[in-house]
Amino acid sequence: MTLDLFAPEPRQNILPYDGDVQDYGCIFSPDEADAYFQYLLQHLHWRHDEAKLYGKHFVTARQVAWYGDQHYRYSYSGVIRDALTWDPELLKLKHRLEQLLSERFNSCLANRYEEGTQGMAWHSDGDMSLAKETTIASLSFGATRKFCFRHMQSKEKVELHLQSGQLIVMRGQTQQHWQHALMKSQKVIQPRINLTFRQFLL
């Protein structure tokens, strides 16, 4: 697959304070975004995510795939996950984003939502395995979905509708002050895939 990323100028920071989130818009044409969506559906090693909360074991409706530079282990929600060797097309995409953003990433978490009743609750990516002011590049493919930020103290919200091929980048103190969530909607009947490229402290 040929990746034809162009380098759009990011919009102004969409957060009013205490963080930095830039919206690069759709960095693929509709045909390119659809081709990549189909590839990801067919070639990534999808599995249902797991979590342990309050002593109980849960299996999520959404599916995930975790890739990284090394076969390292990552603990989240009481479950140990092993990184997979990079899919070749995913690795090409990582390199192009690094070039576009002048950043370095060593892992990618892929999330697959079959339709709008599957989402992600409020959370922040402030894990101890991440650098304190980490940069996370988030790419969306498939169905347009409502994505929200909520300030931890003021509870002020910022809403986006992420389209197929759209890139947003979270930087600075965003994870320390803001939570984010993928909102559920019964009106959405198509699947969505999200790729989050990040730098883990190995």
Side-chain angles (χ1 to χ4, degrees), residues 34-191:
D34 183 64
Y36 213 82
F37 174 69
Q38 296 299 329
Y39 178 90
L40 296 170
L41 279 177
Q42 297 172 24
H43 291 89
L44 296 193
H45 294 282
W46 298 108
R47 53 176 287 184
H48 291 282
D49 201 10
E50 300 176 65
K52 291 181 180 178
L53 299 172
Y54 307 109
K56 295 183 178 180
H57 181 263
F58 296 91
V59 177
T60 64
R62 78 175 188 282
Q63 298 179 62
V64 299
W66 182 257
Y67 293 85
D69 286 356
Q70 303 180 27
H71 289 287
Y72 62 88
R73 311 193 101 191
Y74 170 55
S75 177
Y76 178 73
S77 295
V79 176
I80 301 295
R81 296 166 177 80
D82 293 298
L84 300 169
T85 302
W86 285 103
D87 172 272
E89 295 299 334
L90 199 59
L91 185 60
K92 290 179 184 178
L93 181 53
K94 179 183 88 81
H95 290 157
R96 294 299 297 271
L97 287 178
E98 289 175 334
Q99 182 180 23
L100 172 65
L101 302 174
S102 298
E103 296 281 354
R104 175 78 173 88
F105 303 111
N106 62 9
S107 60
C108 177
L109 174 62
N111 285 285
R112 174 178 173 176
Y113 306 89
E114 289 302 324
E115 31 73 27
T117 63
Q118 297 178 9
M120 179 72 77
W122 291 108
H123 70 286
S124 62
D125 296 323
D127 187 272
M128 292 296 291
S129 299
L130 294 171
K132 186 175 181 181
E133 295 191 2
T134 190
T135 296
I136 299 176
S138 177
L139 260 177
S140 298
F141 293 100
T144 297
R145 294 289 298 270
K146 184 178 179 180
F147 189 78
C148 298
F149 291 91
R150 182 178 68 183
H151 194 270
M152 295 181 189
Q153 281 73 47
S154 70
K155 305 305 179 184
E156 182 172 350
K157 292 182 181 179
V158 176
E159 299 180 353
L160 294 170
H161 285 85
L162 297 178
Q163 303 176 58
S164 190
Q166 188 167 350
L167 170 68
I168 63 171
V169 181
M170 297 178 277
R171 293 186 171 94
Q173 296 187 341
T174 302
Q175 306 306 322
Q176 282 72 53
H177 297 286
W178 293 82
Q179 293 180 315
H180 51 273
L182 181 68
M183 312 309 290
K184 296 181 179 181
S185 172
Q186 294 188 355
K187 296 180 180 179
V188 179
I189 60 174
Q190 299 298 323

